[in-house]
Amino acid sequence: MKKTAVVTGASSGLGLEFVKLFANDGYNLVVIARNEEKLQELKRTYPNITVTVISKDLSKPNGIKEVVDVIRTQKITVDVLVNNAGFGLLGAFEDLSIEEQLNMIQLNISSLTELTYHLLPDLKKTSGKILNIASTAAFQPGPNMAVYYATKAFVLSFSEALAEELREVAITVTTLCPGATKTNFSSVAKVENTKMFSNAMSSEVVAKIGYVSLMQGKRVVIPGGLNKVGALVAKFLPRRTAAKVAKLVMTEN
Ligand SMILES: NC(=O)c1ccc[n+]([C@@H]2O[C@H](COP(=O)([O-])OP(=O)(O)OC[C@H]3O[C@@H](n4cnc5c(N)ncnc54)[C@H](OP(=O)(O)O)[C@@H]3O)[C@@H](O)[C@H]2O)c1
């Protein structure tokens, strides 16, 4: 019987690359994002697997409940969950809209937490796997992207704790912490011209590293040598200094 992977944020960037990797390995897919046309295109691209399209805005409080309802109604058994949907915004906390920043918390934190909670019973039955997408932003405070960095610190901390809780029931939780990666993220977040994004990795390479690590059940993965060094340095720097460095790399060239 084919296994099923649920991927949030499947319509572009890393999510789309994960979809390709799962499809090539013969997984059925549940693909979630707002852009229904892009999701329907995925269904047409992969006629040999079952692709269930769920077009939902996960920054709305009821979004996940509706996703879970579809999965339950269609009696889909979930083997892999990829919590990938997310976005960032560049700007001082007080200058950005509070509504957009709260939507970011809802999407990057609450929807990831809620979907994980509701799919855990399924994942227990299948000895399943979870891949949560954090960021190198998780390792230090990020002035001028304060809420985004904080959401990713949550994802990393939550995922590492959950990995330990679930060790005995054989569910693995892998956290992928990409640095700058070429996707739509940079235009949504308006960070294209920052020093950080002058040397972005390809989404194909980053997703492949995440996919292989997920299959191996690794805990935390940082793609790219420079990103690994950056995360290590951030661990040893005083938090105040790490925040200053993060502010510097997020300034425009
Ligand atoms: N690219 C980077 O440099 C980078 C670095 C570190 C971490 N990350 C993380 O990687 C993950 C994937 O981002 P990406 O780089 O692949 O960016 P992306 O190309 O912008 O993809 C984001 C995905 O999330 C979906 N999404 C956005 N808002 C949504 C909402 N309200 N409801 C449902 N789906 C929503 C988008 O689809 P729709 O627009 O169709 O809804 C899209 O499929 C994010 O969690 C991001 O924080 C990215």
Side-chain angles (χ1 to χ4, degrees):
M1 211 173 88
K2 279 194 163 102
K3 290 186 172 184
T4 299
V6 173
V7 181
T8 69
S11 62
S12 73
L14 290 172
L16 182 58
E17 296 300 328
F18 290 128
V19 164
K20 292 180 195 167
L21 292 161
F22 282 114
N24 287 342
D25 281 349
Y27 278 76
N28 290 330
L29 282 156
V30 178
V31 290
I32 307 159
R34 289 167 302 181
N35 189 322
E36 171 142 31
E37 181 41 42
K38 285 196 181 158
L39 299 179
Q40 293 295 351
E41 199 178 312
L42 288 177
K43 198 178 168 77
R44 290 191 290 276
T45 307
Y46 300 108
N48 297 333
I49 57 171
T50 305
V51 179
T52 305
V53 167
I54 308 182
S55 165
K56 280 279 171 277
D57 185 343
L58 301 182
S59 71
K60 299 273 181 285
N62 256 345
I64 291 296
K65 191 185 171 306
E66 292 164 16
V67 167
V68 173
D69 283 349
V70 174
I71 292 174
R72 296 273 174 269
T73 310
Q74 301 201 12
K75 297 192 167 38
I76 297 168
T77 305
V78 179
D79 299 272
V80 183
L81 168 62
V82 181
N83 283 305
N84 163 76
F87 75 98
L89 286 174
L90 181 67
F93 172 64
E94 64 175 341
D95 294 342
L96 295 172
S97 123
I98 189 63
E99 287 78 18
E100 279 187 300
Q101 294 185 89
L102 292 176
N103 282 347
M104 192 196 302
I105 293 172
Q106 182 71 35
L107 180 66
N108 297 8
I109 295 182
S110 301
S111 76
L112 173 148
T113 309
E114 197 180 345
L115 189 58
T116 304
Y117 185 86
H118 288 299
L119 295 186
L120 261 187
D122 289 51
L123 292 162
K124 272 189 176 171
K125 282 184 214 144
T126 56
S127 293
K129 294 182 178 300
I130 300 173
L131 177 63
N132 287 339
I133 312 306
S135 165
T136 49
F139 299 105
Q140 66 281 295
N144 282 338
M145 267 189 123
V147 172
Y148 177 71
Y149 273 58
T151 64
K152 293 304 180 177
F154 172 93
V155 174
L156 177 61
S157 174
F158 168 67
S159 308
E160 286 186 281
L162 197 62
E164 191 54 34
E165 278 187 23
L166 297 175
R167 191 166 52 87
E168 294 192 347
V169 293
I171 297 178
T172 60
V173 183
T174 301
T175 314
L176 179 66
C177 300
T181 308
K182 289 175 196 147
T183 67
N184 291 340
F185 176 88
S186 54
S187 60
V188 173
K190 301 191 174 59
V191 291
E192 300 109 313
N193 300 322
T194 57
K195 291 183 179 62
M196 172 109 177
F197 274 76
S198 56
N199 208 3
M201 290 177 74
S202 97
S203 55
E204 209 179 335
V205 169
V206 172
K208 180 77 186 178
I209 292 169
Y211 187 80
V212 170
S213 306
L214 165 75
M215 293 305 162
Q216 292 172 341
K218 287 193 178 159
R219 287 260 174 120
V220 178
V221 193
I222 305 167
L226 267 181
N227 293 328
K228 282 191 184 72
V229 172
L232 193 70
V233 170
K235 261 188 201 168
F236 292 105
L237 282 180
R239 296 281 284 174
R240 191 173 169 153
T241 312
K244 282 190 177 150
V245 174
K247 189 175 181 186
L248 202 69
V249 296
M250 291 317 295
T251 54
E252 304 216 327
N253 279 314

